[in-house]
């Protein structure tokens, strides 16, 4: 039995309730007032405090004695000292390193942004008011040269060209042609042609006389090289300026030689070319250099309008009627195309910030040498004066685009966790430049900043996880240090009792324990900061190798401060409870060596006065009050202000509260779980052994509880952050997959027209793409989707879905699909709100092609409560449109102005839509300026919350959701703009590949698809692997971090287990001696303690697994709620196997070492302990 000592100077008496109360000090007056009594008590407490402080100030001799005692203790208990130092070192190392890592965490998001957009902070393009969409970079540079921080800029060209490999070009009878010879490119190889009707000769070998403007390339060039060409993205860059700006920090290919280029590996593979090969580049002068061509070339062509000039310009040798009848347009066309032989200087596989990583059909040439190279390869018949003038023009006066970066080190502007502040500073920097160069003349973008916005929520989630990691590791370290100091106090109970017996004061005991705490802290602080600096140096090099982004190899000042404060302060704070425990020990019990130190029953007596102030009540009450305030005020505030950082912090605080609460609750089932484990896992063991193991677990319950908490918290934390991190990555990846609908697809993103009247340019070579899909063995199917109805026609058209009362409406984007779409799209992403998965043997897409389906469509579940939509209950769809047979003034078009196609004649106003008896066409109403309203009853054939390749949602904040119909229904509502299904603006071709396809086979599929679309600019093959490439690189970095975190958490927990088992065995030395004296073998004793450690670790691990899965699954449910994606619950089996194996090893080592040391001692010596 333990009795709490009554403080000196206090008596005992019987209160009205029989409790122990203070009888008052000596000389107390019963008649004194309460104020006087309070003053007297205060004076007594102040006097006592003064005496305590004065007696606590150590003298030189006391300090020296405490220092010697500490050194002696270190020599005797080397293992404890090593564990204590290791714990403190982990605190310093973890805190300082994590703070530095956290301060550099934005580097990962910056790298993701730079990979997706290029290492360009600002881009400037001219507006339509400039006339030719080109900028005068010379004036731009002069305007900004006064401010050195505004001088990091460079001109660029970024446009589409046609590339033709030289292997495509052959002379007569297959003869090889010199790629640098301009004669055959512009004057032919002698091939006979049937000339147009307006030519003098019906048949001629002069290809230039049969020039057809509609052909891909000039007829002469086509005679030799055919009409196939690869569409490529040509970048003209100034290598020196961009190197100074920091575009492509790791770019090692250097300057591009005149007449040479760098080509992307993917494009080179598609074209089957390599380094050193020559490729013909065809450019159209008026498209590539609109301002330059019209200001220099076109006026000079008009100057040569005479017959003599025509003879020299066109090369007609006889000055016949062709020269006299040629028009200026013909002369212009003779020279607006240039064919350049360009040598591949090098092939690059990674843009490394030169451009976005999604572009794989790129080639680069040097900006400063490009125009002279073009002049060199112009038509040989071009007059020398015109060629010289073109060569002497500075391309810097006709830049298509100007890129500008922040002054170096530019990445410092982005190395903050506050995205709002980053945007504010970057926009503020650009605003001054934008104003100086004329905000009405240029259009600016911020590529890196916009890309950072895309990863903003991703970075918020991971930033919060990093903060949680630091908090948990620090909490574990504090628990470990507290456990070690408590072990030290408990194992030195007799020694401290002797010290107190010979006159050591309480202050002396406190000084001795603080000395020991600092003996852990000071060496650990020194070596911890050194180890953190070494890890930071090595980690910065690894990080640079992985990402290409340099970070400081030195610890940040705040990390050093935090590491110092925590390394020196936490051991002192952790010593408070051990010091209190040492001072409250009964002197008689401390000197008693005849009885066992382990006590299965403990009794404590408390004064009623002391019980009036309960820290536990304050802690629980304060936590609940703060929790209520956060839920009632802070969370609505974050929602109203759209402060997602604050909202996510609230979510994670709740999750951490849930994690700690579950750990505390789990302690109530700890004993029951230990009994189950002993009975199940040790069923084959003797009953006596199982009984002793359970009794040991009960006797050591209080000390083992710290180990249980640490193991459960560590494992729960590891599983929680693993599931959290995995769910974030899965949400990103699944979002890409669901949005695309397939892992590979062909996409058209080209428009024609101006900003108010533009239409989508559909995929042209559908037959060639379908041929590739039908013949490739690894392609299982394909499906077509049309562009949004509004963009397929003029962009000022609109589709609204109303309820029948026309009281509510929702603007939607109508698409059409092929009947096999659901067989091609990725499985697992369909979230059906209402509908028949199969009806009459037809899936939901095929149902749209029935008679009933012709007046039906797919809609989003948002409309169920917005418009009261129900399955197969009609809604009113309203098309606000300008039909093809009506012009913008509302007048009928001429027959020649109406669209031509291969389908039936245009639909006329007033014709119904057909379908079953429940559907009807409503007459088209006229609206001003030729607009018409077509209102038609359409039934929802299926209602989706999510569907691959389309935008559906259950949430009202998600606007402009899809409305999906069949191709025939879509055609009917194009109102004559398209005349057949084949003419529809198909913008997406989804490709379904076999499950066993390899990356090389995917590359082969993509290569063949690119060949099929190579002649159409703006049409590209979308590869899912390129989309998730940046996230994989960031994942590789974060995997290293989580591996480090897991190792540290397990190491800390193992330290606690070792210290607990060491103390448990040491305190039971007498019991071990008795067991050995009555004949129990040493192997029995070893088994008992190994089983105890095994049971403790296994029970704690199981609790941690359950807790981690519960909290992780809660976070997963939140992610599913936000993303509306069927995210899977990925249990970290690999990590758990490693963790359990490590736990078993730690259990064996932590128990076997101490018990062997006890077994080596004589039985009599053990019984004397």
């Amino acid at each position: 039995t333990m009795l709490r000592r009554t403080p000196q100077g206090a008596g005992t008496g019987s209160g009205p309730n029989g409790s122990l109360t203070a009888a008052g000090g000596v000389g107390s007056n019963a008649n004194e007032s309460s104020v006087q009594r309070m003053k007297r008590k205060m004076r007594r407490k102040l006097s006592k405090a003064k005496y305590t402080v004065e007696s606590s100030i150590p003298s030189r001799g006391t300090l020296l004695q405490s220092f010697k005692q500490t050194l002696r203790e270190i020599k005797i208990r080397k293992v404890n000292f090593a564990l204590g130092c290791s714990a403190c070192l982990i605190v310093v190392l973890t805190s300082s390193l994590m703070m530095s890592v956290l301060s550099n965490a934005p580097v990962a998001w910056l790298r993701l942004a730079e990979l997706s957009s290029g290492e360009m902070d600002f881009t400037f393009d001219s507006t339509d008011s400039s006339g030719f969409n080109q900028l005068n970079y010379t004036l731009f540079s002069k305007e900004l040269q006064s401010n050195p921080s505004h001088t990091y800029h460079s001109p660029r060209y970024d446009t589409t060209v046609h590339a033709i490999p030289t292997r495509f070009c052959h002379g007569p009878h297959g003869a090889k042609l010199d790629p640098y010879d301009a004669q055959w490119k512009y004057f032919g190889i002698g091939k006979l042609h049937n000339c147009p009707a307006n030519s003098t000769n019906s048949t001629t070998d002069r290809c230039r006389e049969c020039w057809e403007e509609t052909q891909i390339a000039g007829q002469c060039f086509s005679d030799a090289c055919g009409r196939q060409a690869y569409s490529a993205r040509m970048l003209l860059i100034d290598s020196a300026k961009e190197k100074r700006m920091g575009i492509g920090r790791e770019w090692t290919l250097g300057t591009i030689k005149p007449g040479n280029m760098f080509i992307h590996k993917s494009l080179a593979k598609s074209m089957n070319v390599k380094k050193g090969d020559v490729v013909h580049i065809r450019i159209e002068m008026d498209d590539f250099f609109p301002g330059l061509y019209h200001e220099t070339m076109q006026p000079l062509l008009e100057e040569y309008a005479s017959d003599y000039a025509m003879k020299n310009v066109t090369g007609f040798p006889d000055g016949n009627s062709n020269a006299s009848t040629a028009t200026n347009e013909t002369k212009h066309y003779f020279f607006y195309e240039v064919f350049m032989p360009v040598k591949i200087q090098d092939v690059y596989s990674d843009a490394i910030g030169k451009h976005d990583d999604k572009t794989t059909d790129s080639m680069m040439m040097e900006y400063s040498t490009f125009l002279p190279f073009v002049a060199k390869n112009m038509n040989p018949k071009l007059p020398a004066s015109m060629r010289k003038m073109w060569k002497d023009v500075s391309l810097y006066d006709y830049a298509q685009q100007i890129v500008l970066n922040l002054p170096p080190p530019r990445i410092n502007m982005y190395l903050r966790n506050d995205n709002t502040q980053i945007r504010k500073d970057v926009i503020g920097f650009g605003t001054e430049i934008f104003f100086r160069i004329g905000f009405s003349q240029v259009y600016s973008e911020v590529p890196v900043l916009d890309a950072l916005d895309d990863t903003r929520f991703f970075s918020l989630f991971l930033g919060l996880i990093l903060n949680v990691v630091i908090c948990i590791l620090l909490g574990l370290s504090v628990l470990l240090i507290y456990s070690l100091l408590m072990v030290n106090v408990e194992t030195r109970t007799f020694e401290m009792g002797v010290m107190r017996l010979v006159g050591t004061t309480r202050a002396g005991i406190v000084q001795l324990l603080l000395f020991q705490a600092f003996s852990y802290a000071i060496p650990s602080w020194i070596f911890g900061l050194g180890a953190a600096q070494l890890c930071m140096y090595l980690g910065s090099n690894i990080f640079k190798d992985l990402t290409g982004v340099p970070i400081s190899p030195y610890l940040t000042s705040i990390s050093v401060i935090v590491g110092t404060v925590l390394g020196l302060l936490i051991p002192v704070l952790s010593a408070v409870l051990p010091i209190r425990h040492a001072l409250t020990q009964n002197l008689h019990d401390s000197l008693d060596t005849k009885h066992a130190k382990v006590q299965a029953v403990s009794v404590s007596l408390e004064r009623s006065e002391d019980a009036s102030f309960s820290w536990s009540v304050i802690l629980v009450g304060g936590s609940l009050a703060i929790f209520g305030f956060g839920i009632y005020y802070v969370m609505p505030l974050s929602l109203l202000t759209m402060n997602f950082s604050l909202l996510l912090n609230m979510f994670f605080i709740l999750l951490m509260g849930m994690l700690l609460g579950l750990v505390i609750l789990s302690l109530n089932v700890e004993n029951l779980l230990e009994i189950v484990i002993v009975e199940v896992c040790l069923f084959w063991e003797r009953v006596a052994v199982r009984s002793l193991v359970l009794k040991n677990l009960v006797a050591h319950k209080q000390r083992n509880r710290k180990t249980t908490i640490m193991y459960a918290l560590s494992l729960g934390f590891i599983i929680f952050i693993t599931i959290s991190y995995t769910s974030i990555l899965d949400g990103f990846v699944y979002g890409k997959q669901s949005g695309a609908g397939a892992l590979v697809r062909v996409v058209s993103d080209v428009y024609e027209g101006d900003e108010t009247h533009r239409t989508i340019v559909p995929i042209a070579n559908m037959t060639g793409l379908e041929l590739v899909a039908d013949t490739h063995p690894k392609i299982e199917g394909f499906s077509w989707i049309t562009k949004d109805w509004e963009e397929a026609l003029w962009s000022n058209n609109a589709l609204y879905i109303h309820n029948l009362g026309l009281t509510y409406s929702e603007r939607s984007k109508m698409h059409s699909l092929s009947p096999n779409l659901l067989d091609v799209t990725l499985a697992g992403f369909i979230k059906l709100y209402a509908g028949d998965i199969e009806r009459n043997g037809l899936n939901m897409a095929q149902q749209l092609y029935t008679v009933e389906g012709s007046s039906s469509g797919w809609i989003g579940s948002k409309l169920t409560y917005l418009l009261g939509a129900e399955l197969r209950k009609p809604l009113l769809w309203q098309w606000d449109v300008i039909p093809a047979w009506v012009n913008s003034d509302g007048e009928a078009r001429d027959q020649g102005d109406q669209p031509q196609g291969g389908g039936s004649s245009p639909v006329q106003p007033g014709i119904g839509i057909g379908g079953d008896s429940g559907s009807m066409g409503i007459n088209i109403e006229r609206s001003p300026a030729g607009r018409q309203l077509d209102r038609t009853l359409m039934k929802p054939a299926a209602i989706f919350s999510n569907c691959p390749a389309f935008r559906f949602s259950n949430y009202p904040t998600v606007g402009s959701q899809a409305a999906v119909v069949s191709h025939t229904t879509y055609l009917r509502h194009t109102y004559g703009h398209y005349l057949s299904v084949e003419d529809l603006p198909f913008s997406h071709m989804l490709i379904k590949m076999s499950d066993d396809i390899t990356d090389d086979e995917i590359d082969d599929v993509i290569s063949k698809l690119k060949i099929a679309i190579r002649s159409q600019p703006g049409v590209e093959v979308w590869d899912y692997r390129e989309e998730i490439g940046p996230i994989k690189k960031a994942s590789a970095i974060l995997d290293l971090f989580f591996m480090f975190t897991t190792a540290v958490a397990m190491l800390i927990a193992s330290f606690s287990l070792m210290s607990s088992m060491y103390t448990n065995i040491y305190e039971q030395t007498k019991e071990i001696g008795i067991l050995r004296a009555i004949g129990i073998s040493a192997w029995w004793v070893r088994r008992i303690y190994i089983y105890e450690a095994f049971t403790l670790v296994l029970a704690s691990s199981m609790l941690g697994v359950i807790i981690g899965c519960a909290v992780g699954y809660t976070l997963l449910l939140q992610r599913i709620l936000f993303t509306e994606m069927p995210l899977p619950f990925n249990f970290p089996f690999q990590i758990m196997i490693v963790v359990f194996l490590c736990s078993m090893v730690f259990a064996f080592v932590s128990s076997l070492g101490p018990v062997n040391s006890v077994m080596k001692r004589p039985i009599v010596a053990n019984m004397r302990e």
Side-chain angles (χ1 to χ4, degrees), residues 430-441:
T431 300
E432 181 181 352
I433 299 174
F434 197 59
F435 179 78
R436 292 184 62 183
I437 63 178
F439 57 86
S440 62
Q441 300 296 318

Side-chain angles (χ1 to χ4, degrees), residues 195-215:
C195 292
N198 60 355
S199 299
T200 303
N201 301 318
S202 60
T203 302
T204 179
D205 61 352
R206 296 175 180 175
C207 55
R208 61 186 178 279
E209 297 181 19
C210 300
W211 201 288
E212 295 181 17
E213 189 170 352
T214 59
Q215 294 177 5

Side-chain angles (χ1 to χ4, degrees), residues 39-92:
K39 289 181 178 180
R40 179 174 53 79
K41 289 182 178 181
M42 186 64 67
R43 286 194 299 269
R44 186 175 62 184
K45 290 181 177 180
L46 290 175
S47 177
K48 186 177 180 180
K50 180 181 178 181
Y51 172 77
T52 302
V53 171
E54 291 177 349
S55 61
S56 300
I57 299 176
S59 62
R60 181 178 179 182
T62 306
L63 291 175
L64 184 60
Q65 185 64 28
S66 298
F67 181 72
K68 291 180 178 180
Q69 287 284 347
T70 302
L71 291 180
R72 176 177 171 272
E73 183 65 21
I74 292 173
K75 293 179 180 179
I76 295 176
R77 307 184 188 278
K78 297 181 179 67
V79 175
N80 276 2
F81 177 75
L83 291 177
C85 284
S86 300
C88 294
L89 187 143
I90 289 175
V91 172
V92 177

Side-chain angles (χ1 to χ4, degrees), residues 21 170 300 303 401 457 757 785:
T21 59
H170 304 283
L300 289 175
E303 183 180 340
Q401 184 184 73
F457 296 108
H757 296 84
I785 299 176

Side-chain angles (χ1 to χ4, degrees), residues 170-176 189:
H170 304 283
H173 308 293
K176 187 175 181 181
I189 56 175

Side-chain angles (χ1 to χ4, degrees), residues 20 113 151 321 332 449 659 663 672 700-701 865 921 939 992:
L20 297 178
T151 60
S321 60
H332 156 73
L449 203 57
L659 180 65
V663 170
L672 177 62
H700 303 149
K701 182 177 181 179
Y865 52 86
K939 297 178 180 179
K992 181 181 181 180

Side-chain angles (χ1 to χ4, degrees), residues 893-931:
R893 295 179 185 266
D894 294 334
Q895 185 67 27
D897 295 335
Q898 295 185 14
Q900 302 298 319
S904 59
S905 60
V907 182
Q908 299 299 321
I911 298 178
I913 67 167
D916 63 358
S917 59
S919 302
M920 60 176 294
I922 299 180
N923 290 335
I924 298 178
E925 299 180 4
R926 294 262 181 181
S927 59
R931 306 194 66 80

